[in-house]
Amino acid sequence: MVDIVIIGAGVSGCAIAREVSRYKADVLVLEREEDVCCGTSKANSAIVHAGYDAANGSLMAKLNVEGSRLMPALSKELDFPYENNGSLVVMVSEDDRPALNKLYENGVANGVEGLRIVERDELVRMEPNISDQAVAALYAPTGAIVCPFGLTFALAENAARNGVRFQFDTEVTGIGKTDGGWKLSTTRGDVEAKVVVNAAGVYADKLHNMVSEDAMTITPRRGDYFLLDHSAQGHVSHTIFQLPGKFGKGVLVAPTVHGNIIVGPTAIDIEDKEGVATTQAGLDEVRAKCGLAVKDVPLRQTITSFAGLRAHEARHEFFIGEVQPGFVDCAGIESPGLSSAPAIGVMVSGIVRDILKLEENPNFEAKRKGILDPKGLDAEAHAALIRENPAYGTVICRCETVTEGEIVDAIRRVPGARSVDGVKRRVRAGMGRCQGGFCSPRVMEILARELGVDQSAITKAGAGSELIVGVNKDAI
Amino acid sequence: MEEKNLICINCPLGCPLTVTLENGEVKAVAGNTCPRGEAYARKELTNPTRIVTSTVKVRGGTLAMASVKTAGDIPKGKIFDCVKAIQDIELPAPVAIGQVVLADVCGTGVDIVATKNVPVKG
Amino acid sequence: MREYELVIIGGGPAGLAAAVAAHEAGLRDILILERDNELGGILNQCIHNGFGLHTFKEELTGPEYAGRFIEQVKKLDIPYKLNTMVLDLAADKTVTAMNREDGLFQLHPKAVILAMGCRERPRGALSIPGCRPAGIYTAGTAQRLVNMEGYMPGRKVVILGSGDIGLIMARRMTLEGAQVQVVAELMPYSGGLKRNIVQCLDDYGIPLKLSHTVVDIEGKKRVEAVTIAQVDGNNRPIPGTEERYECDTLLLSCGLIPENELSRSAGVELNPITNGPTVNESLETSIPGVFAAGNVLHVHDLVDYVSEEAGAAGRQAAGYIAAGCREEEHKALPIKCANGVRYTVPVAIRPGAAGDTVTLRFRVGNVYKNKKVAVYAGDACVFSRKRPVLAPGEMETVILKTSLLTDHPEADGITVTLEEA
């Protein structure tokens, strides 16, 4: 019997795992996919919301503001990309002024620092490509952007470093009460635990409903996005939202920490919890709306489009707490879930600590070093690195200049990359303008070598997504 | 009398050719803009041939495969037989361009030759 | 690191031909930088035949064609570095590159030839809706897997785009045992050669559906089905025309994009139509001493023309260095494209700097029949040739006598246009 099972290795599950690793406990994270960061955490706006949006007094508002406050220090401690670029909620009609003022007041009440309303003149100076209809905006200097993969991997690696175990390709299919806790049936055998944390994203309702009479429904809310090439960099520097109002709810246009521009999302409620297919209508909607707050968005520079699911609960609130003795929900974690993750981790680990009366782990190491990106080194250090490890001299991904050294590091991490997408999310190989056209065969080769398997066993994203189906002439 | 339709491949014009055949013999070609069209149609209907290119496995080379081709045209109808004939061939490295991989493939009198230099690995 | 007078970025067909020509023009201090582990570039994976009819008067496969040039480079002892990635090119021609052996290094050549080639347009840039499972490859990636590594990327295949690589891969996959169900092409005409349509599709009974595109991709882990639909005149799918194909693979052959990230970092002026550098008659970019040739300049359909163009760039670079890297001032005549001519390479001609002839290459924007290609110096027609058919997939070449331009000293520009024949 383990002390704690955390179901779900998304950003919430990993944040909880990392925080709970501060205590002496045997912790196991179960994940149905092949890697961490495979659900909602991998496909979102990559925004750290300042916290003016969530209703004052809600848990969502509290954790958002706290998470946003914790994020800068955490990014240093765990070495993941974070940038405090500030955000703007743009109003495109004077009619919407009351709504903008209301948002400002809500933000102040939530404790968001530095909020102010900027009028058109200043707005244009801040963002030369702001739309011609823009009248004013709510400026949140604490708004930021983050690499959602980087954050999640950092949390997971640090948790693993502090003793948390991760088990992938393991779906929880049933939960039953036992004398000392819970028995979980999984696709890879039974697991018993004293405490279970449900951080299962869009599936959190399913797990919740296995133990609670008080039924919950999580609706997958799909968001379609465009990601633009580096050549579009600089089109906007702040995260630019459009104030919901006269022209409906807009889409955001924001830089990413890696120098791309992200545009989206839509908000389409669907039934399929795996429904991450983009649709023509969804992409068209983003195309149509993105110009409301920002002009001339260079959608021609699109390198990929994708869709993600938010785990939406009808009350639009986070549901965190012990719903049955020893069963802790962390559900309804939709936007601003990424922003709130550090605070969610602290809150849930506190609940678990109190249930199990955990003691501090004296060996807890708070720091984690990210995968070395040689691009950040000066010429001398860079040259020394290649002398020491020539793999850093071989460029595999040409578009993002990712070397073999970085890819090997990504594979050897714990938990490490086991698929082409796992490599891509960790070091950006294949994330650039050619989208893996040149480098994916090379990445497959390196994965096969490092994992000691045949290249035909290499997958895009776990079992069933094998990239090679056979050898030449094997079926003629 | 029998009519067959072809598209000429000699230039981007892609003339739609109508060929009249009698007992397998070309009687007339229509639709062509230039004489190359007629010559193409006659060849294509009486004795269509193709160069076949493919790959064979290499053992101990810097590459796992070496590209190969038929050294000359083979009858179009023998393309798949030709590919089958090299299905199990595995060449030891080194492989040199022009090296005969399989002589007289499928009785066509045409050799399969390597089109790629593959040096020994290491 | 020892310095070189001429650095050629790219060891594919353009880089190889440029190196050989520069050497033949008397330049001895040349270095080729190649990012792959062998010379030859994309030709190494183009194992089909049809290369070299112009250059060698015989039909070669890609590796054979590359082999001829590689042999010359080796015979001439032209140095090259493999597995070497150029990370930056500066406006002063400083080349920053990296490999395992030399680490991070800089070169300061007198001249640079850009010969980086092109890449394929990926699925993302096409914004095809649907899932993002395994089994979606650009045709070139599949070509590398099959032809160089011997791996089958799929069994049941749908191909989007009828560019030559897509057509060639339809045949390759078929011959290796896959079932290619359909090739869908967005445009009302194919961008591929007629010969490839007949010999790669018709020979194997593979249908080509013009004015069709992919409207949905199904499959969570691996592609399970692809739906194509007919498009209207604005390339929008027409509801009700959807056809669903069960398959495990979607290959994309939807266009090639010159790889000009280095050119951009150097500040080389680019032509928004070709996505390649703007060059003058000497294939010199907006930065003196930086030349460009091959697919980095504009996407070619025949490698023979790449070699020819790159040879000219090599000679020009050698001449530039021999002249002490100084250039005389010459009047430049900008070239205007009219009436369906999409672009020209070069974009300007300096008659005073040109040799006896100037090679003009261009493409048209649509399929045209019974037209005349005409070139004007100012208002005077200096060249005219009948063309029964012109298509976007076929590059046009005009070789202009320089004297025809110098005969019209009053001309301030050149126009290349299509006229009724």
Side-chain angles (χ1 to χ4, degrees):
Chain A
M1 161 130 40
V2 297
D3 294 325
I4 305 157
V5 160
I6 299 167
I7 305 170
V11 72
S12 299
C14 291
I16 296 163
R18 192 263 177 167
E19 285 305 313
V20 91
S21 72
R22 291 176 186 273
Y23 306 106
K24 281 196 214 163
D26 182 14
V27 187
L28 175 65
V29 179
L30 298 181
E31 168 59 49
R32 58 195 292 274
E33 298 291 338
E34 53 106 28
D35 197 357
V36 302
C37 201
C38 282
T40 297
S41 308
K42 83 167 176 191
N44 52 69
S45 310
I47 300 299
V48 182
H49 294 272
Y52 44 75
D53 206 21
N56 184 240
S58 65
L59 180 61
M60 197 179 254
K62 178 172 173 273
L63 294 180
N64 183 171
V65 175
E66 264 177 42
S68 156
R69 263 189 212 130
L70 290 171
M71 202 69 88
L74 191 66
S75 76
K76 291 199 178 71
E77 198 167 58
L78 297 181
D79 196 15
F80 60 84
Y82 163 89
E83 203 183 310
N84 177 207
N85 65 326
S87 65
L88 291 162
V89 185
V90 176
M91 171 182 107
V92 293
S93 162
E94 193 58 52
D95 299 353
D96 294 330
R97 180 76 68 174
L100 193 71
N101 288 335
K102 214 175 131 195
L103 194 62
Y104 167 78
E105 282 153 22
N106 190 62
V108 170
N110 285 352
V112 181
E113 286 155 32
L115 286 179
R116 65 190 175 89
I117 289 181
V118 294
E119 298 300 326
R120 179 165 175 89
D121 286 357
E122 188 180 357
L123 190 52
V124 172
R125 280 198 299 278
M126 290 171 87
E127 286 292 349
N129 287 320
I130 206 77
S131 84
D132 295 337
Q133 301 100 289
V135 178
L138 175 65
Y139 173 49
T142 59
I145 50 180
V146 67
C147 172
F149 319 129
L151 166 60
T152 311
F153 290 127
L155 292 164
E157 287 175 24
N158 188 238
R161 155 71 183 75
N162 289 308
V164 174
R165 290 174 295 133
F166 285 79
Q167 188 176 314
F168 298 103
D169 299 312
T170 307
E171 185 178 346
V172 175
T173 52
I175 306 174
K177 191 89 190 82
T178 63
D179 286 347
W182 300 91
K183 184 172 168 181
L184 308 179
S185 319
T186 83
T187 46
R188 292 178 61 186
D190 293 349
V191 182
E192 288 194 59
K194 291 178 192 160
V195 168
V196 172
V197 176
N198 169 20
V202 289
Y203 290 95
D205 56 345
K206 212 174 135 193
L207 295 168
H208 168 93
N209 296 342
M210 287 179 192
V211 303
S212 172
E213 302 274 292
D214 184 13
M216 175 191 284
T217 306
I218 303 278
T219 306
R221 177 168 285 180
R222 198 188 77 226
D224 303 47
Y225 292 90
F226 289 104
L227 188 70
L228 314 187
D229 186 30
H230 293 315
S231 54
Q233 189 173 13
H235 195 78
V236 296
S237 57
H238 299 80
T239 301
I240 300 182
F241 301 91
Q242 195 217 324
L243 181 71
K246 204 174 167 185
F247 300 104
K249 191 172 170 352
V251 295
L252 68 84
V253 180
T256 73
V257 289
H258 298 292
N260 303 91
I261 296 279
I262 189 165
V263 188
T266 52
I268 301 159
D269 287 348
I270 59 172
E271 284 181 9
D272 182 2
K273 289 182 191 281
E274 304 284 308
V276 289
T278 53
T279 63
Q280 189 69 50
L283 295 176
D284 285 348
E285 186 185 330
V286 177
R287 278 191 196 100
K289 283 182 171 173
C290 67
L292 282 170
V294 179
K295 61 182 172 190
D296 306 329
V297 176
L299 289 178
R300 279 193 59 207
Q301 318 269 4
T302 296
I303 55 173
T304 189
S305 48
F306 64 91
L309 301 177
R310 286 94 104 189
H312 176 66
E313 207 279 344
R315 288 160 284 180
H316 187 53
E317 173 62 308
F318 294 160
F319 293 91
I320 296 175
E322 191 178 8
V323 287
Q324 290 286 336
F327 189 95
V328 180
D329 263 349
C330 178
I333 313 300
E334 62 179 311
S335 179
L338 186 71
S339 320
S340 310
I344 290 173
V346 173
M347 180 177 174
V348 176
S349 73
I351 295 171
V352 173
R353 174 199 60 208
D354 293 348
I355 297 171
L356 291 172
K357 313 222 170 351
L358 298 175
E359 288 170 37
E360 295 222 348
N361 169 7
N363 299 322
F364 177 73
E365 168 59 63
K367 279 196 170 309
R368 168 259 185 189
K369 198 78 202 111
I371 292 171
L372 175 66
D373 179 355
K375 288 190 286 298
L377 300 176
D378 62 50
E380 211 167 293
H382 198 165
L385 175 71
I386 300 170
R387 269 197 304 278
E388 193 188 313
N389 182 354
Y392 283 99
T394 304
V395 174
I396 302 296
C397 168
R398 303 163 177 183
C399 302
E400 297 285 319
T401 323
V402 182
T403 64
E404 185 173 354
E406 292 154 79
I407 293 171
V408 169
D409 189 355
I411 299 168
R412 293 184 184 170
R413 293 261 156 167
V414 181
R418 297 185 301 157
S419 64
V420 172
D421 278 1
V423 168
K424 172 171 154 180
R425 284 196 292 273
R426 282 174 178 82
V427 294
R428 301 184 55 74
M431 200 74 98
R433 53 180 70 92
C434 93
Q435 290 285 296
F438 285 118
C439 71
S440 56
R442 301 289 307 278
V443 171
M444 286 157 68
E445 221 176 283
I446 297 169
L447 272 165
R449 186 188 74 206
E450 290 292 317
L451 299 175
V453 298
D454 189 77
Q455 214 165 308
S456 58
I458 300 303
T459 66
K460 179 175 186 285
S465 67
E466 283 72 17
L467 287 153
I468 285 166
V469 301
V471 297
N472 290 4
K473 302 186 185 65
D474 61 359
I476 58 171
Chain B
M1 293 280 255
E2 188 193 355
E3 275 197 355
K4 287 225 165 160
N5 295 312
L6 291 178
I7 293 184
C8 179
I9 65 163
N10 284 296
C11 83
L13 208 50
C15 294
L17 308 176
T18 306
V19 188
T20 312
L21 291 151
E22 201 177 304
N23 303 326
E25 206 178 305
V26 176
K27 286 286 170 205
V29 178
N32 55 312
T33 310
C34 72
R36 288 188 299 170
E38 179 168 347
Y40 170 72
R42 289 185 181 278
K43 173 96 188 324
E44 195 61 13
L45 284 182
T46 52
N47 178 27
T49 61
R50 298 286 185 266
I51 298 272
V52 177
T53 61
S54 188
T55 53
V56 298
K57 293 189 265 298
V58 177
R59 196 170 52 242
T62 54
L63 288 168
M65 308 299 285
S67 52
V68 299
K69 69 175 181 185
T70 53
D73 279 7
I74 64 160
K76 188 179 157 189
K78 291 209 168 176
I79 293 175
F80 277 100
D81 294 338
C82 166
V83 174
K84 267 205 163 74
I86 57 170
Q87 185 175 17
D88 297 322
I89 292 180
E90 189 175 37
L91 299 174
V95 176
I97 290 177
Q99 173 184 331
V100 174
V101 172
L102 179 65
D104 184 19
V105 64
C106 303
T108 56
V110 176
D111 295 343
I112 302 265
V113 297
T115 58
K116 173 90 185 158
N117 294 322
V118 184
V120 175
K121 191 177 183 170
Chain C
M1 178 69 51
R2 80 158 267 223
E3 295 288 349
Y4 295 84
E5 288 188 318
L6 172 62
V7 168
I8 298 173
I9 306 177
L16 293 170
V20 169
H23 189 278
E24 282 168 354
L27 185 65
R28 287 295 170 270
D29 205 20
I30 308 168
L31 177 68
I32 304 171
L33 298 176
E34 166 55 43
R35 57 192 170 188
D36 220 323
N37 57 11
E38 58 179 339
L39 293 173
I42 207 72
L43 286 175
N44 288 317
Q45 67 184 54
C46 298
I47 68 165
H48 54 282
N49 65 318
F51 300 89
L53 270 173
H54 295 257
T55 313
F56 299 112
K57 309 291 171 230
E58 59 180 308
E59 257 194 78
L60 302 173
T61 64
E64 290 173 305
Y65 185 94
R68 301 266 172 116
F69 279 93
I70 294 168
E71 227 169 82
Q72 289 185 63
V73 163
K74 288 186 174 164
K75 212 162 74 194
L76 298 173
D77 255 331
I78 299 172
Y80 56 89
K81 286 180 185 293
L82 301 177
N83 297 308
T84 303
M85 183 77 188
V86 176
L87 300 175
D88 187 59
L89 174 66
D92 67 355
K93 300 195 273 284
T94 299
V95 176
T96 307
M98 182 165 86
N99 64 27
R100 292 173 77 95
E101 293 75 29
D102 306 297
L104 190 66
F105 61 94
Q106 286 198 327
L107 298 167
H108 307 84
K110 291 177 176 167
V112 170
I113 296 177
L114 306 173
M116 292 88 80
C118 59
R119 63 165 177 273
E120 296 173 280
R121 198 182 297 277
R123 183 245 176 125
L126 305 166
S127 295
I128 301 170
C131 296
R132 302 196 303 149
I136 305 169
Y137 299 89
T138 59
T141 303
Q143 190 178 42
R144 185 184 170 97
L145 284 170
V146 175
N147 290 354
M148 297 185 71
E149 303 183 15
Y151 288 118
M152 291 293 282
R155 304 271 184 220
K156 280 179 92 174
V157 184
V158 168
I159 299 179
L160 176 63
S162 62
D164 286 312
I165 314 175
L167 301 176
I168 293 286
M169 278 314 291
R171 177 174 63 186
R172 278 298 294 141
M173 295 293 289
T174 305
L175 289 181
E176 294 298 344
Q179 187 200 337
V180 178
Q181 308 190 68
V182 67
V183 176
E185 167 61 55
L186 180 70
M187 303 308 286
Y189 50 83
S190 166
L193 300 172
K194 273 279 173 308
R195 175 166 104 154
N196 285 337
I197 293 171
V198 170
Q199 298 195 349
C200 297
L201 301 187
D202 298 354
D203 273 6
Y204 302 96
I206 301 167
L208 170 62
K209 301 215 164 186
L210 299 174
S211 299
H212 276 70
T213 193
V214 171
V215 294
D216 194 23
I217 300 169
E218 294 169 57
K220 306 240 140 119
K221 291 285 191 178
R222 175 88 200 185
V223 173
E224 288 164 14
V226 165
T227 303
I228 67 169
Q230 202 178 331
V231 295
D232 62 20
N234 298 316
N235 293 339
R236 300 288 300 179
I238 302 171
T241 62
E242 294 86 358
E243 288 169 79
R244 184 174 176 275
Y245 291 87
E246 279 182 22
C247 59
D248 64 4
T249 306
L250 173 64
L251 296 190
L252 304 171
S253 175
C254 301
L256 300 168
I257 308 166
E259 283 220 281
N260 275 292
E261 282 64 39
L262 293 172
S263 322
R264 214 170 271 128
S265 76
V268 163
E269 186 184 297
L270 298 179
N271 180 341
I273 308 286
T274 55
N275 288 310
T278 58
V279 293
N280 61 23
E281 78 299 321
S282 304
L283 299 165
E284 189 177 31
T285 68
S286 60
I287 299 180
V290 177
F291 300 82
N295 283 349
V296 78
L297 180 55
H298 56 143
V299 176
H300 292 61
D301 17 76
L302 283 184
V303 70
D304 301 75
Y305 294 149
V306 168
S307 302
E308 194 181 292
E309 186 175 272
R315 284 186 291 278
Q316 293 293 345
Y320 172 85
I321 292 167
C325 306
R326 274 193 315 269
E327 289 183 328
E328 284 174 45
E329 281 291 318
H330 290 287
K331 180 180 173 187
L333 303 176
I335 301 175
K336 206 177 111 200
C337 304
N339 255 339
V341 175
R342 284 189 69 227
Y343 72 84
T344 61
V345 169
V347 297
I349 296 174
R350 301 170 303 167
D356 294 343
T357 62
V358 176
T359 304
L360 267 178
R361 300 191 202 277
F362 67 92
R363 279 182 199 271
V364 295
N366 210 328
V367 177
Y368 296 99
K369 288 198 170 159
N370 295 319
K371 294 277 179 183
K372 222 164 62 183
V373 172
V375 180
Y376 288 82
D379 296 329
C381 182
V382 294
F383 177 92
S384 162
R385 184 174 67 206
K386 272 193 188 169
R387 297 288 285 135
V389 64
L390 298 110
E394 303 258 341
M395 185 184 286
E396 297 289 325
T397 304
V398 167
I399 297 176
L400 216 55
K401 283 208 182 79
T402 310
S403 59
L404 293 171
L405 300 174
T406 45
D407 285 350
H408 296 277
E410 76 290 351
D412 282 326
I414 296 167
T415 305
V416 180
T417 185
L418 300 186
E419 295 174 346
E420 292 306 322

